[in-house]
């Protein structure tokens, strides 16, 4: 699973939308301002205010992320989320969030390891698996 530079830029430059589902399959989608690629196969998300989303990830680690920029090729990334409340990756999230807004105090770092990438560009190619 490998994101292109364009995909990674789309994640980092704007809001993304994170979809989760409870163990009963009840969906939840939230806008996320703190998301960025760690490498071409993983996305880092700061858990600043998550409640239902966090509970869903704990129950069901399967998530989807959609990029916002409809002018370019918007993407959907599917993967498995892992929560970190301490350690190197958590410390990186705290530093990143506090560099942007000093009052932020992230509760956790969430790493999404990608399993599939889809184009969600409107038109005949919509929903086409990229990788």
């Amino acid at each position: 699973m490998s994101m292109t530079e364009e995909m990674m830029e789309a994640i980092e430059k704007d809001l993304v939308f994170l979809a989760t589902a409870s163990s009963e399959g009840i969906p939840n989608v939230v806008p996320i301002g703190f998301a960025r690629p760690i490498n071409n196969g993983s996305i880092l998300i700061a858990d600043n205010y998550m409640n239902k989303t966090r509970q869903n990830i704990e129950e069901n680690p399967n998530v989807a992320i959609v990029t916002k920029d409809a002018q370019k090729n918007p993407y959907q990334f599917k993967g498995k989320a892992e929560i970190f409340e301490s350690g190197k990756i958590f410390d990186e999230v705290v530093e990143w969030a506090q560099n942007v807004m000093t009052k932020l105090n992230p509760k956790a770092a969430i790493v999404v390891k990608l399993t599939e990438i889809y184009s969600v560009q409107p038109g005949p190619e919509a929903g086409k698996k990229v990788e």
Side-chain angles (χ1 to χ4, degrees):
M1 191 51 39
S2 185
M3 290 185 283
T4 65
E5 287 294 322
E6 178 190 0
M7 291 172 187
M8 291 192 283
E9 185 180 302
I11 293 165
E12 199 154 7
K13 79 175 246 195
D14 206 341
L15 287 176
V16 297
F17 295 88
L18 175 64
T20 60
S22 69
S23 57
E24 292 86 33
I26 298 168
N28 186 58
V29 178
V30 294
I32 300 288
F34 282 88
R36 70 180 186 196
I38 298 174
N39 53 46
N40 64 8
S42 299
I43 299 169
L44 177 62
I45 297 170
D47 171 5
N48 293 310
Y49 303 110
M50 292 178 184
N51 292 306
K52 203 180 316 168
T53 297
R54 172 71 179 269
Q55 183 179 338
N56 284 354
I57 291 170
E58 288 171 359
E59 293 177 13
N60 174 5
N62 297 298
V63 302
I65 297 168
V66 172
T67 56
K68 182 179 171 200
D69 192 349
Q71 306 306 333
K72 293 190 175 183
N73 188 3
Y75 295 99
Q76 179 190 74
F77 304 94
K78 291 187 178 181
K80 293 235 186 252
E82 187 175 355
I83 299 166
F84 296 87
E85 293 181 313
S86 62
K88 182 178 180 285
I89 198 80
F90 174 73
D91 294 342
E92 285 177 26
V93 159
V94 170
E95 183 179 340
W96 169 36
Q98 291 180 347
N99 280 341
V100 176
M101 293 176 68
T102 54
K103 293 182 178 165
L104 284 178
N105 192 19
K107 299 183 280 184
I110 296 170
V111 175
V112 178
K113 294 210 183 303
L114 302 181
T115 56
E116 299 173 300
I117 301 173
Y118 295 87
S119 168
V120 289
Q121 181 75 32
E125 299 292 307
K128 181 180 179 194
K129 191 171 185 179
V130 177
E131 190 167 327

